[in-house]
Amino acid sequence: MSVQERKRRERAERERLIVATARELAEQQGWDAVTTRRLAERIEYSQPVLYSHFRGKREIIGAVALQGATEMAVAMRAATAAADGPRAQVHALARAYLAFAEGNPAVYDAIFQLDGGLAYAREDTPEPLKDAFAALMESLGEVAGDGVEPGLFTEVFWASLHGVATLTRSGRLPPEETERRVRLLVDRLPVV
């Protein structure tokens, strides 16, 4: 292995460590606890090393968001692959989405609530974000109904799931009713 290859590999490993540590700290203590000073202490590198990878917390949030979007897409696809029929797939999709949001609150915030410097719903949107939306649309496009644009329907359904996730987490909706909310939403779809 050449020296340059080794340096690239070491750099990539440091970057993974920074992102994993930021994510872990955010899940444990919230995003306010994620500072470059604290990250540097935890990973035992100097702050300048962190800044050689990320210009600041915003970029770290963006990196966590991209990683999380990839994981969310995988979870949704796995859930829908195991379901039989369009309505069952949408039920599975909704449950997987909400489970991801509940199980990874700091990552979910990085994707949808915080400024990670990422472009959404534009041509320059990073691929992991586009893929997470595509994972939603793969099941939802089939159930949009006649004359309904699948992308727009997916946005509205996604907004509903996001609302359930964030309102439940903030205590504004009782969590014991989540499954009933999902059934109500999915059972009203035009597909049989």
Side-chain angles (χ1 to χ4, degrees):
M1 174 184 320
S2 74
V3 172
Q4 281 196 330
E5 286 177 46
R6 182 180 53 77
K7 284 183 178 187
R8 270 195 304 271
R9 191 178 73 225
E10 288 171 354
R11 180 173 176 76
E13 185 54 40
R14 273 193 312 270
E15 196 166 295
R16 279 190 293 278
L17 180 61
I18 293 166
V19 171
T21 304
R23 182 177 174 164
E24 178 183 314
L25 187 57
E27 291 293 0
Q28 291 171 352
Q29 300 177 31
W31 279 104
D32 287 343
V34 179
T35 64
T36 54
R37 181 186 56 76
R38 198 175 243 171
L39 286 173
E41 289 171 3
R42 281 216 174 176
I43 64 172
E44 299 177 346
Y45 284 111
S46 67
Q47 285 182 322
V49 170
L50 264 73
Y51 285 116
S52 74
H53 291 274
F54 299 99
R55 287 182 290 202
K57 183 175 176 177
R58 182 179 187 219
E59 284 189 5
I60 294 169
I61 290 169
V64 170
L66 294 177
Q67 184 182 73
T70 298
E71 292 169 9
M72 179 182 261
V74 168
M76 290 187 296
R77 285 189 175 109
T80 58
D84 186 29
R87 190 175 305 277
Q89 287 177 345
V90 176
H91 269 282
L93 173 82
R95 286 186 196 106
Y97 182 96
L98 294 171
F100 184 89
E102 181 181 3
N104 305 279
V107 174
Y108 189 82
D109 284 350
I111 300 169
F112 297 116
Q113 304 288 101
L114 301 174
D115 178 10
L118 304 172
Y120 286 79
R122 296 190 337 216
E123 193 171 304
D124 60 338
T125 297
E127 201 53 45
L129 298 177
K130 288 180 182 178
D131 188 52
F133 186 78
L136 285 165
M137 200 158 89
E138 288 163 9
S139 292
L140 294 170
E142 288 185 47
V143 299
D146 292 336
V148 178
E149 199 270 306
L152 187 61
F153 179 79
T154 300
E155 290 172 351
V156 172
F157 196 93
W158 168 34
S160 297
L161 291 176
H162 178 70
V164 170
T166 57
L167 292 171
T168 301
R169 188 166 117 205
S170 69
R172 287 168 174 80
L173 292 177
E176 62 273 7
E177 297 293 330
T178 299
E179 182 59 30
R180 286 183 60 208
R181 288 184 193 94
V182 169
R183 277 198 315 268
L184 180 65
L185 186 60
V186 175
D187 289 348
R188 299 300 182 262
L189 296 172
V191 170
V192 177

